[in-house]
Amino acid sequence: MKTIKTYQNKLYRNKRNRHLDEAIDTAASIWNYCIAFHRRYYKLYGKHLSANKLKKHITKVKRTPHPEWQVLGSQAIQDVVERVDRSYKAFFEHHKQERRGRKSPPSFKKRRKYSSFTLKQAGYRFYDDSNIVTIMGRDYKYCKSRPIEGTIKTVTVKRNALGEFFLNVVCEIAKNEVLPRAGKAAGYDFGLKHFLTADDGSTIDSPEWYKILLEELCQSHRAVSRCQKGSNNRRRAVLHLNRVYQKIVNRRRDWFFKLANQLVGENATICIEDLNLDGMKCLWGRKVSDYAFAEFIGILEYVASEAGTTAVKIDRWASSSKVCHVCGGRNDALALKDREWICPQCGAHLDRDVNAAINIKNIGAAMLSA
């Protein structure tokens, strides 16, 4: 059984990294050229330009008008063209299927906002006995926390807002089949008062890292606003602001992995609901974004798959809060402000979140047995 696994390693800071900066800036220039060419082609002929035609054109252009593009490998240039093509296809598909929400066509990007380039079969080399990688003819050191296993499919060099570089290595590996383990099943309900409420009544509260660092974040934003645009002081202030944001992301992600490992270690089956988080953000905004529930679900599913725990995601339209778990009676008059209610049919006194968690667990168990 084959599976895809991604290794992320951070490159050491070095003056040589400026060549990677130049390569990413070159990829941004190619992206913008492709967008401009797409628009010109559509204006003249009224139809979409295929990726193959654009690749042939870019191959000619990089020889004479833009020889500086040859700093980037040929496969990395082709990947930029494929990114543009995928973006246009996603835009057309969105409008064709008349999906809800706004979807804009791909647009021009500033160099500082373009963050990566991808190499496929060539342009890189790893060494088994060292933490050195060769990228487009130059050697770079990276933090090697574990060996890279399997067949390498792509290597992506990514630059974050702090100017740090990361290697994302996508590998195809032979995965040993992880059998589902027997044990306890649990249901969890996501809420604003508590991050998770379990079916046994226990609760898990989020540290709310954004709220903790909000004062420092506001100070950093004010420092940027006071600086003159284009000055070195503003550049340093923006760098500090990005560092604060990165601190929030790192702390939240670390807590998510610790919580996911805890839940997976305690339960053999975890039932959780799928939510319309975009709609919740419209109502409660910053707090829902601070909880980052969608990111946690992705981490939980990954950790569960590695350990043999079954993660069940029930449908967002399934009745959980308004249905009594004792008799199955439905209370349509239940408002969002009602945290406790009495079932009109059986008279059971119910806590809204605990009742929802029990229903989520029951629905998840029914889905597994079906």
Side-chain angles (χ1 to χ4, degrees):
M1 181 180 177
K2 297 286 186 178
T3 186
I4 299 297
K5 189 170 186 177
T6 302
Y7 297 89
Q8 187 179 68
N9 301 288
K10 184 178 179 181
L11 291 176
Y12 288 164
R13 285 189 176 274
N14 195 289
K15 291 182 179 179
R16 197 179 289 114
N17 292 357
R18 71 181 186 276
H19 299 294
L20 299 178
D21 252 327
E22 293 173 3
I24 294 176
D25 291 344
T26 301
S29 299
I30 298 171
W31 169 278
N32 291 332
Y33 182 91
C34 292
I35 297 297
F37 196 77
H38 258 283
R39 294 180 178 182
R40 194 181 310 122
Y41 187 88
Y42 187 82
K43 188 175 182 179
L44 291 173
Y45 301 104
K47 58 182 180 180
H48 174 67
L49 177 64
S50 68
N52 288 333
K53 287 183 180 179
L54 188 55
K55 285 180 182 178
K56 291 178 181 178
H57 175 74
I58 294 294
T59 302
K60 296 176 183 178
V61 170
K62 75 176 183 180
R63 291 173 184 167
T64 47
H66 294 284
E68 69 276 7
W69 287 0
Q70 296 184 21
V71 172
L72 205 60
S74 59
Q75 291 187 351
I77 294 176
Q78 291 178 6
D79 181 74
V80 175
V81 176
E82 290 170 1
R83 291 184 187 185
V84 174
D85 187 64
R86 285 195 299 268
S87 298
Y88 270 108
K89 285 182 177 178
F91 168 70
F92 293 136
E93 190 69 21
H94 179 86
H95 283 273
K96 184 179 179 181
Q97 296 184 3
E98 298 181 351
R99 297 175 186 167
R100 299 180 65 182
R102 183 180 177 184
K103 178 70 174 178
S104 302
S107 59
F108 297 111
K109 291 185 180 180
K110 295 181 179 179
R111 287 188 172 189
R112 60 184 175 84
K113 290 189 176 181
Y114 199 88
S115 59
S116 66
F117 66 87
T118 299
L119 302 170
K120 296 181 180 178
Q121 289 90 358
Y124 59 88
R125 184 181 177 186
F126 289 91
Y127 304 93
D128 295 333
D129 55 345
S130 68
N131 62 335
I132 296 176
V133 58
T134 302
I135 301 174
M136 294 186 295
R138 290 186 175 89
D139 293 339
Y140 302 90
K141 282 189 175 183
Y142 65 96
C143 301
K144 188 176 182 180
S145 58
R146 51 183 171 172
I148 297 173
E149 302 174 350
T151 305
I152 298 177
K153 292 297 183 181
T154 62
V155 174
T156 300
V157 179
K158 191 166 185 178
R159 175 182 63 192
N160 66 8
L162 297 176
E164 300 170 334
F165 291 91
F166 293 85
L167 285 177
N168 292 337
V169 186
V170 178
C171 300
E172 185 181 60
I173 62 173
K175 183 180 179 181
N176 296 326
E177 185 179 2
V178 180
L179 298 176
R181 58 193 182 96
K184 176 185 170 185
Y188 291 94
D189 176 61
F190 171 72
L192 295 178
K193 185 177 180 182
H194 302 289
F195 182 70
L196 289 176
T197 302
D199 59 283
D200 60 358
S202 60
T203 58
I204 299 171
D205 292 323
S206 171
E208 298 185 45
W209 298 112
Y210 186 91
K211 185 177 179 180
I212 290 174
L213 294 172
L214 184 59
E215 184 177 351
E216 184 178 356
L217 203 58
C218 291
Q219 292 174 355
S220 301
H221 273 287
R222 285 195 293 270
V224 173
S225 300
R226 292 192 189 103
C227 297
Q228 184 179 358
K229 289 186 177 181
S231 65
N232 286 331
N233 284 337
R234 185 181 176 89
R235 181 181 57 82
R236 283 191 288 267
V238 170
L239 192 64
H240 178 71
L241 176 63
N242 292 332
R243 192 174 290 113
V244 177
Y245 275 113
Q246 193 63 43
K247 190 189 299 183
I248 295 171
V249 171
N250 292 342
R251 290 184 179 183
R252 182 188 291 137
R253 189 170 178 82
D254 176 68
W255 184 73
F256 280 165
F257 268 101
K258 289 177 179 176
L259 177 59
N261 280 287
Q262 176 188 338
L263 297 181
V264 167
E266 294 174 352
N267 306 291
T269 303
I270 298 175
C271 304
I272 210 150
E273 61 183 334
D274 182 25
L275 296 171
N276 180 17
L277 294 174
D278 290 334
M280 295 177 70
K281 287 177 185 177
C282 293
L283 294 174
W284 298 289
R286 191 178 72 195
K287 189 161 188 176
V288 178
S289 300
D290 194 4
Y291 278 170
F293 188 65
E295 182 183 356
F296 170 71
I297 292 300
I299 292 174
L300 179 65
E301 289 176 339
Y302 167 74
V303 174
S305 66
E306 293 290 314
T309 295
T310 304
V312 183
K313 194 187 293 184
I314 72 167
D315 185 60
R316 65 178 60 176
W317 305 113
S319 298
S320 58
S321 299
K322 295 185 178 182
V323 174
C324 174
H325 72 273
V326 179
C327 66
R330 185 180 178 88
N331 183 10
D332 290 322
L334 186 68
L336 190 61
K337 64 180 181 181
D338 300 328
R339 308 317 302 174
E340 296 182 0
W341 57 286
I342 297 175
C343 178
Q345 297 186 19
C346 67
H349 185 270
L350 304 170
D351 180 275
R352 181 191 183 97
D353 295 335
V354 176
N355 177 65
I358 296 173
N359 285 328
I360 290 170
K361 175 183 175 181
N362 295 336
I363 296 171
M367 291 172 60
L368 288 177
S369 61

